[in-house]
Amino acid sequence: MSGPLRLVPDEAGPEWADQTVQLRTLPRKRRRPVLPTQAPVPAEEQLDLSPDPLDELAERLADVCADAVHPYEIAAFLESDGLSDEQAALLYGRPDAFTVAEELFEKVDRRYPGPSAEFANPWRADPWRCVVRGLVFALPGLGYLLGANLFAATRMRFGLPSGMLALSVATLVSWSWNQALAHRSYAWLGRGRRRAAGRCLAVGAPVGALVAATAGYVIGGPLGALCFAAGQSGYLGAATVLLVLGREKFLLLALAPSAVGAGVVLAVDVPQAVRTIVLLASLGLAVGLAVREIVRCLRSEQDSTVLKLPLGHELPHLLFGLAVGTLTLIAGLGTTVHQAVRTGAAEGVSASPTGPAMIALTLSLGLAEWLLFRYRAMAVAGLRTSHTPGAFARRTGGVLLGCLFIYLTTVAALDAAATVLWPGAPALGVPELGALLLLGGSLWLALLLNAFGLSWSTALICLAAAGAECAGLLAGADPTVLQLIGCGAAAAVLTAVAGPVLGRTTKHR
């Protein structure tokens, strides 16, 4: 995996968001008072008075009220436009804004025009771009073929092969750090602060690479494994920069030497010196292109207004990256760790943190991202075609199940293909496939809920599953059983959270 699992945060309002109704200045139609000592005012000079002052408001907000699927949507619009309970009582004779919204909902007939050419859906995604992102997530796995001799298992540390342990710790630190870094950079970009995003990446990416490499060094291990961990940390930092700034094609270019070199290694035996040169070429290209893009961001025009983003907002995303990395590594290294814990020796244990399961998951990330955009697009379309809140909830629930089915079917197909093609891969069994599908479903649901702002919930659920699996693995339990239980529980909890939350119309406005 070459970068954090993060989507671009977009904030798009409904079609009628640009309409403004100045409720504070709505005219109050009154008849001119007739005093006993005055002659009656001619009828033609009197202002017309609607039987109900709410009728005029209903006419003005006809589009908003006709498209609403619940009175709360109208109430939210009224409150955002400044209508308080006092004004509702003064202008319309209703006790509060919610009563006004309920009566408007009853006065205006529902009109569901459905998606049209004029409707600009903010959640459109380029499928080809998602394919490219899937490739750049998966291709770094080929680097482990080139560097297999560098982190070969030699001795045990903390009950595990030292090379594998150092590389795994560095990988987890990189994933968690870069997840938080990507979220913070996207937040700056979403506010139009490209220069601030460039500064964030310029500082965060090298610091994260240094922290990850240091963590691997502290764990200790063969010199080759530590060098590989340092190079991988630098690559992940550069990949985060290029992915956040939308330069997937540049990252694909940087990975070309490693991809070609891995293909050669599969065919013939290549000296380790040549393999190392190929790895360094990919690392140098990635870092150089990342520096180029950061410099371009720093040259962008700076906004003079002061804006601060608290660092504490990134903590749940850091924990989420740690949890996702742990669950994914267990899927790829669970059998290796189980073997090492049972035998207590490093001989014959492969230290490569990759395999068919991880290849299938990383290759599927491009599709996962496209399906996230597709779900949100279809949910927004459902707002315009559903007649009731219940119908909308059923519609979005069906879309969610459909997206999950497509994603899990693809993961299963990729895992079967990777098992056939990967050298020395064990046969694919039903329990192993079930564990992988539960993991894939949990990660996709977590990413979806994370995109809707439930960052703390998803982080804690995934972290609990990862912690339980780690404890069981170090105790000698079967990794497949652990994944079935841990990922199954996480998937069940995430599904229970997703149902009520994603069925609310206000979540998709």
Side-chain angles (χ1 to χ4, degrees), residues 83-107:
L83 182 69
S84 63
D85 292 343
E86 293 78 7
Q87 290 173 321
L90 179 64
L91 296 175
Y92 307 108
R94 269 65 175 183
D96 50 48
F98 284 97
T99 304
V100 173
E102 290 174 352
E103 295 193 24
L104 288 175
F105 187 79
E106 295 176 358
K107 282 178 175 290

Side-chain angles (χ1 to χ4, degrees), residues 199-231:
R199 286 199 302 268
C200 180
L201 292 169
V203 175
V207 170
L210 180 61
V211 170
T214 303
Y217 177 79
V218 170
I219 294 299
L223 179 61
L226 297 179
C227 292
F228 190 91

Side-chain angles (χ1 to χ4, degrees), residues 166-297:
L167 189 58
S168 298
V169 169
T171 302
L172 288 177
V173 172
S174 291
W175 276 348
S176 55
W177 181 282
N178 289 321
Q179 177 73 15
L181 176 63
H183 179 267
R184 188 168 184 82
S185 303
Y186 279 135
W188 283 119
L189 291 174
R191 290 162 174 78
R193 303 299 183 89
R194 190 169 182 83
R195 189 171 181 178
R199 286 199 302 268
C200 180
L201 292 169
V203 175
V207 170
L210 180 61
V211 170
T214 303
Y217 177 79
V218 170
I219 294 299
L223 179 61
L226 297 179
C227 292
F228 190 91
Q232 176 186 259
S233 302
Y235 168 79
L236 289 174
T240 300
V241 172
L242 294 174
L243 288 172
V244 167
L245 298 178
R247 297 295 186 264
E248 296 86 358
K249 293 181 180 179
F250 287 174
L251 191 55
L252 193 61
L253 175 64
L255 290 170
S258 294
V260 174
V264 174
V265 167
L266 289 175
V268 297
D269 188 20
V270 178
Q272 185 57 51
V274 177
R275 299 184 183 191
T276 304
I277 292 173
V278 173
L279 289 173
L280 290 176
S282 285
L283 175 61
L285 278 173
V287 172
L289 292 171
V291 171
R292 174 180 178 270
E293 293 304 313
I294 288 177
V295 171
R296 292 183 63 183
C297 285

